[in-house]
């Protein structure tokens, strides 16, 4: 790269000239556009806004619901008093049947995996990783250069 | 006075500064108007905090500059990825041919500031942006390099070329006086 030495005289001169430039007048439509955008934002329904902008009673309600749901989920996962059999014997039987089918399938897959040499699996994983990164890269590029562009236009 | 009325006064005080910052960095009035709008929407979001702040103008200018740099960065990325047809040298040579075509033989009748404003807008982005950040935002070469994610050497070279181009456009002599004026006086 051509790394030219700075010229203090020219720097001072151009700086001085640039500072004499007056401000440009903003277009007359700018204020109207900003206020239209502010009004459009204010008219959005609560569910299109960030949680912090929700009405207070909806914030409280959503918080209570979230805490209640989380608590119930935690109680179901960790509590031993409630089992699937006590809730529904028929459902428990079906789950058990599906479980045994899954077990059989897993045994079959394990036997298959052991039968194929490890180097083949490594190659397959490499191909899959390559495909994944290619898809992610193309998707990101498409979003950044096409979708964002279209939104702007 | 309601908040909206206060904000309108705030806008009237700063809209020319914001638009000027944007239009000089972007070199395009339409994009500058969009960026100015976004800057004021951000200001409205933080209006409770900035309405009484003595540094509101500085804050607004920084927000505008950042929005402009993000905008340019986005387009630069697109350009890098999808177009190998043009390069910086072509930009510069086309600018120089524009310069040759536009510089009047005798600029005595021209308003120097208007010529400078036009010349600034026609500078290639790579020269215009660092030049403006250096002279209007008072950023150092290192700070500009960090903001634009380029080397300090490139920043220095681009600023130097930009100044040279402006000097040519204004037909200035070593003392900064228009050559035509000196000759004529």
């Amino acid at each position: 790269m051509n790394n030219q030495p700075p010229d203090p005289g020219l720097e001072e001169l151009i700086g001085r000239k640039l500072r004499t430039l007056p401000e440009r007048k903003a277009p007359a439509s700018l204020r109207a556009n900003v206020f239209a955008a502010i009004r459009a934002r204010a008219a959005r329904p609560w569910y299109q806004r960030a949680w912090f902008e929700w009405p207070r009673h909806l914030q409280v309600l959503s918080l209570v619901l979230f805490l209640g749901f989380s608590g119930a989920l935690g109680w179901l996962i960790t509590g031993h008093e409630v089992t699937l059999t006590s809730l529904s014997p028929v459902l428990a039987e079906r789950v058990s049947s599906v479980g045994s089918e899954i077990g059989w399938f897993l045994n079959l897959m394990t036997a298959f995996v052991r039968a194929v040499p490890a180097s083949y699996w490594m190659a397959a994983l490499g191909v899959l990783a390559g495909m994944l990164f290619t898809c992610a890269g193309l998707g990101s590029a498409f979003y950044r250069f096409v979708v964002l562009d279209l939104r702007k236009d | 006075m309601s908040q909206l009325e206060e904000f309108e006064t705030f806008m009237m005080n700063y809209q020319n500064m914001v638009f000027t910052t944007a239009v000089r960095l972007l070199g395009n009035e339409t994009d500058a108007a969009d960026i100015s709008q976004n800057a004021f929407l951000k200001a409205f979001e933080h209006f409770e905090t900035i309405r009484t702040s003595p540094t509101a103008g500085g804050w607004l200018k920084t927000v505008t500059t950042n929005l402009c740099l993000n905008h340019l960065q986005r387009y630069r990325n697109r350009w890098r990825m999808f177009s190998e047809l043009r390069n910086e040298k072509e930009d510069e040579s086309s600018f120089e041919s524009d310069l040759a075509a536009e510089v009047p033989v005798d600029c005595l009748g021209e308003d120097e500031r208007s010529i400078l404003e036009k010349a600034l807008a026609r500078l290639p982005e790579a020269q215009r942006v660092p030049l403006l950040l250096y002279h209007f935002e008072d950023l150092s070469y290192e700070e500009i390099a960090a903001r634009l994610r380029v080397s300090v050497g490139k920043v220095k070279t681009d600023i130097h070329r930009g100044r040279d181009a402006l000097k040519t456009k204004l037909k200035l002599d070593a003392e900064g006086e228009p050559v035509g004026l000196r000759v004529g006086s």
Side-chain angles (χ1 to χ4, degrees):
Chain A
M1 181 175 289
N2 180 19
N3 218 339
Q4 298 170 45
D7 176 350
L10 183 62
E11 175 181 330
E12 197 274 330
L13 167 67
I14 295 295
R16 186 155 40 87
K17 294 281 175 192
L18 287 174
R19 282 172 210 282
T20 63
L21 287 177
E23 280 190 343
R24 298 278 297 271
K25 195 166 163 45
S29 56
L30 178 61
R31 219 176 323 153
N33 290 343
V34 169
F35 278 89
I38 289 172
R39 274 193 293 273
R41 280 188 181 191
R44 281 180 308 174
W46 63 270
Y47 51 82
Q48 285 183 359
R49 300 183 196 186
W51 186 83
F52 294 101
E53 293 177 26
W54 286 11
R56 183 75 63 202
H57 65 279
L58 288 173
Q59 281 181 334
V60 173
L61 183 66
S62 64
L63 206 59
V64 168
L65 282 174
F66 173 74
L67 290 175
F69 179 76
S70 305
L73 199 64
W75 182 72
L76 277 175
I77 290 169
T78 57
H80 298 290
E81 295 84 359
V82 178
T83 61
L84 199 54
T85 314
S86 68
L87 284 173
S88 167
V90 178
L91 186 64
E93 192 184 332
R94 287 193 180 166
V95 167
S96 162
S97 152
V98 170
S100 65
E101 294 293 329
I102 290 173
W104 176 84
F105 179 73
L106 284 177
N107 284 338
L108 182 70
M109 289 308 291
T110 310
F112 175 70
V113 167
R114 283 178 184 160
V116 176
S119 57
Y120 281 39
W121 287 117
M122 295 302 285
L125 277 175
V127 170
L128 275 175
M131 287 165 72
L132 181 72
F133 285 121
T134 306
C135 284
L138 287 174
S140 304
F142 181 78
Y143 177 77
R144 191 159 188 167
F145 299 111
V146 178
V147 176
L148 288 180
D149 240 25
L150 285 175
R151 276 188 196 165
K152 186 177 184 304
D153 296 340
Chain B
M1 192 187 270
S2 75
Q3 194 196 29
L4 277 180
E5 284 170 339
E6 253 187 79
F7 186 70
E8 188 166 14
T9 311
F10 175 84
M11 258 200 86
M12 285 169 73
N13 289 338
Y14 292 111
Q15 62 179 359
N16 288 347
M17 181 273 284
V18 167
F19 181 72
T20 304
T21 304
V23 81
R24 284 191 183 138
L25 278 170
L26 301 174
N28 174 322
E29 292 198 359
T30 312
D31 288 350
D34 288 346
I35 293 292
S36 304
Q37 183 177 327
N38 290 340
F40 278 113
L41 287 175
K42 270 193 186 294
F44 187 72
E45 284 169 17
H46 298 93
F47 195 51
E48 282 300 321
T49 320
I50 61 170
R51 69 204 300 177
T52 52
S53 168
T55 58
W59 180 86
L60 202 50
K61 194 169 188 184
T62 305
V63 166
T64 309
T65 304
N66 288 341
L67 287 172
C68 289
L69 294 182
N70 290 344
H71 178 86
L72 292 170
Q73 185 73 39
R74 207 169 68 195
Y75 279 84
R76 205 175 302 137
N77 285 343
R78 182 187 64 169
W79 178 83
R80 275 182 191 156
M81 182 146 181
F82 286 112
S83 173
E84 296 296 328
L85 297 174
R86 296 179 69 208
N87 58 36
E88 246 175 55
K89 285 202 182 302
E90 282 177 357
D91 272 356
E92 282 165 19
S93 61
S94 76
F95 170 70
E96 270 149 27
S97 60
D98 284 350
L99 212 66
E102 284 190 10
V103 171
V105 177
D106 181 358
C107 60
L108 275 173
E110 293 272 355
D111 176 4
E112 190 188 67
R113 285 190 294 202
S114 158
I115 296 172
L116 180 56
E117 193 80 72
K118 281 181 194 162
L120 203 54
R122 294 196 74 86
L123 276 181
E125 181 196 311
Q127 293 171 14
R128 187 181 66 247
V129 174
L131 189 72
L132 290 170
L133 292 177
Y134 187 86
H135 286 293
F136 283 112
E137 306 295 323
D138 294 323
L139 297 184
S140 66
Y141 291 123
E142 290 74 18
E143 286 169 323
I144 296 169
R147 293 285 289 273
L148 301 180
R149 296 180 206 162
V150 294
S151 69
V152 175
K154 178 166 167 51
V155 168
K156 285 182 179 171
T157 305
D158 287 340
I159 290 179
H160 183 80
R161 286 180 182 168
R163 285 184 191 132
D164 265 350
L166 292 181
K167 186 184 168 189
T168 310
K169 185 77 173 172
L170 288 171
K171 294 191 161 192
L172 298 174
D173 64 11
E175 282 77 45
E177 294 301 324
V179 176
L181 280 174
R182 274 169 68 90
V183 171
S185 57

